[in-house]
Amino acid sequence: MQDETGLLETFDDKVAKEIKIEPRDWMPENYRKNLIRQISQHAHSEIVGMLPEGNWITRAPSLRRKATLIAKVQDEAGHGLYLYSAAETMGITREEMVDQLLTGKAKYSSIFNYPTLTWADIGAIGWLVDGAAIMNQVPLCRTSYGPYARAMIRVCKEESFHQRQGFEILLTLCRGSNEQKDMAQDALNRWWWPSLMMFGPNDDNSPHTAQSMKWKIKRFTNDELRQKFVDICTEQAKILGLTIPDPELKWNDEKKHYDFGEINWDEFWKVVNGDGPCNSERLAARVKAHEDGKWVREAASAYAEKRNRNN
Amino acid sequence: MADQISNISTTQLFNYTLNLADNSLIMGHRLSEWTGHGPILEQDIAMSNIALDLVGQSRNFYQYAAQIKNKITPSGDGGKGTPSVDRGTTEDSLAYLRDADEFKNIILVELPNGDWGYTIAKLFFFSTWQFLLYQKLIPSSDAQLSAIAEKSLKEVTYHVRWSSEWMIRLGDGTDESHQRIQKAIDEIWNYTAELFLPSAFENACYENNIGVAVSEIKNDWTQKINDVLKEATLTSPAAVSSPLLAGKEGRHTSFLQEILDDMQYLQRTYPGCKW
Amino acid sequence: MNSDEPLWEIFIRSKQGLDHKHVGSLHAADAKMAIENARDVYTRRMEGVSIWAVESKNIHASNPDDAASMYDPANDKVYRHPTFYDLPDELKHM
């Protein structure tokens, strides 16, 4: 047996050499804690993220849209499940994680605390929110923890249709009536800034970034990813003929990037800390599903137990 | 296709196809209300899968119904004189622009979801019926209906299996689950009678070897239901004394209107738009 | 989500002729449910033709601490690989 220092050296060496860490390998306690926090938050985000879009399944305006939206929201449930599974390999149970979510101890992506007011919001979520998520997630396919990386590969493969369906919804609206185009612009106005917030605080204000980069849990900083997102979306908005709601957005020829305005961090922290427009509604919906489902889970377990006894 | 069949009115075939489509759509719509609210994450995913199968089936039937309709009225008007629809009847004009009294689905599928047990019981009764119906629809002289039935039967086979297992799990689970599922069965039972009462369009299609005689699948249905209820330690309710035709003839509960208010809201508010 | 509902490891054969491969895990009350859940969770995009479900507690894993004694000794047994043998190029079908 190696001592703690030796173990740590072996661990650091593996990470440096891009050798994946697997569940039963020795890992620093903080690495485990940090990952459980990140993976479970990510899983919770997928699950809570089903609500704002699920809200429009029954109102989807065509059968094709209805089918794709069900499939998309269902994928999010699947992604939540893959991620819960990955976290469970680190010794936490799903029940514990769900409990942390329902009691408000665990965080999830603040973006889902904004309401979906019109059909165009479903397009904007697909384009911007899934777009930002993909930008965050693609580097995670190479993250140092094996089960997390494998879950993310699966998630990213499935995500690719989500952003396209969102963009297609907006494109159809933008080519439609004036009212439809206004609907699309209004959705962009409301979702743009919250989407930029999805990348988290600025780098100089992000407590976990440095350690996470060192451990190769994260591969790019929040600001790097946010910049990339702004550059890509600004070009895509031109295809839609929509205006991004930022008067300071301007191409910087020197940096070869777009400059953009300051995020309203006050709003960011308010929503993170529970004062967003839908925080309580989202949590209440999750709590209700969990409580209403209690007797179902009990029945399934009781039945399985009876069967086991009889075999 | 419709024009190969001489002695049936195209309207009967149209209505028959609509009935199949409406059943699948409204059931699928109801099940999709569970997406994001299921009792267990894994079951949330399973329920969404079934909803997707049913919406898919309805699209196949609506597309065929639209073909039939456009033959009757080649200049098509969206199914009901809606001037905004300029591309004739489509799957969407049928789903989104008809009024409740034009829908031909059985009442069972429009009932609210209730708790998980209530939904499972609805689905179990419905899927078992759909399974027997599609099985008998495969030999139909109408090639399109036959093809859709054959494709859908694979999906429905799984729905029957999945919902049967849940019936047994809930019936033979805890005291609470047993009581809840028994109550659901008792409440829903009356609505199952309509499944086996033929409407005029069903009779016409049956007589022309296109459709299924729904009264003929009643015995097999009852047998299967009783087998599962027995294994689930549940009691089969007594036969419905005086069953009524309702949904198939366009007489619906207010639940369907509520569904349509929600479902058709965008198409109705912004007529003529593409989405 | 119920503490009584056990965790299952899922293995999927993606097409006939290939091995079952581990794809992830899920919760289910019993084996039948585990297989059906796996079908709905892991084969939505035609990823599989066959499913194995094994309750996670029944999987026994080697200890990574033993890796050196378990696997390193195979490193110097290059003679187990066909490329170890030096043979003339003219030799065919071997």
Side-chain angles (χ1 to χ4, degrees), chain B residues 179-254:
Chain B
Q179 279 166 22
R180 280 180 184 253
I181 190 72
Q182 183 68 57
K183 184 163 171 272
I185 294 165
D186 296 343
E187 281 178 28
I188 297 166
W189 193 252
N190 270 345
Y191 298 100
T192 61
E194 189 189 7
L195 275 57
F196 310 102
L197 277 187
S199 61
F201 55 78
E202 283 171 308
N203 279 331
C205 285
Y206 171 64
E207 281 156 20
N208 288 280
N209 300 318
I210 293 171
V212 177
V214 279
S215 56
E216 286 178 11
I217 57 179
K218 188 172 181 178
N219 281 343
D220 285 347
W221 184 86
T222 312
Q223 183 67 49
K224 166 78 182 173
I225 300 298
N226 285 339
D227 287 350
V228 171
L229 292 188
K230 194 174 163 213
E231 194 180 341
T233 72
L234 293 162
T235 315
S236 309
V240 180
S241 53
S242 46
L244 264 184
L245 262 182
K248 290 178 185 175
E249 299 198 323
R251 288 189 301 278
H252 292 278
T253 63
S254 60

Side-chain angles (χ1 to χ4, degrees), chain A residues 24 75 85 88 95 158, chain C residues 1 3 25 27 44-45 64:
Chain A
R24 287 171 50 106
D75 270 353
S85 296
E88 279 179 284
E95 202 188 21
E158 299 186 352
Chain C
M1 293 203 200
S3 52
S25 63
H27 288 267
R44 298 199 301 286
R45 287 177 170 80

Side-chain angles (χ1 to χ4, degrees), chain A residues 201-222:
Chain A
N202 284 132
D203 293 346
D204 46 21
N205 213 353
S206 174
H208 302 295
T209 294
Q211 184 62 74
S212 292
M213 297 278 285
K214 181 174 163 260
W215 278 333
K216 295 186 180 168
I217 295 174
K218 268 174 108 158
R219 294 283 179 159
F220 297 97
T221 70
N222 296 351

Side-chain angles (χ1 to χ4, degrees), chain A residues 137-156:
Chain A
Q137 288 167 0
V138 168
L140 290 175
C141 297
R142 296 188 296 126
T143 197
S144 59
Y145 187 59
Y148 190 23
R150 291 191 286 274
M152 288 318 299
I153 288 171
R154 192 173 278 277
V155 168
C156 286

Side-chain angles (χ1 to χ4, degrees), chain A residues 164-182:
Chain A
R164 294 173 72 96
Q165 68 96 36
F167 199 82
E168 191 194 74
I169 288 173
L170 288 179
L171 197 58
T172 309
L173 294 176
C174 290
R175 288 174 177 170
S177 69
N178 287 337
E179 267 173 315
Q180 284 177 301
K181 194 166 179 189
D182 290 346

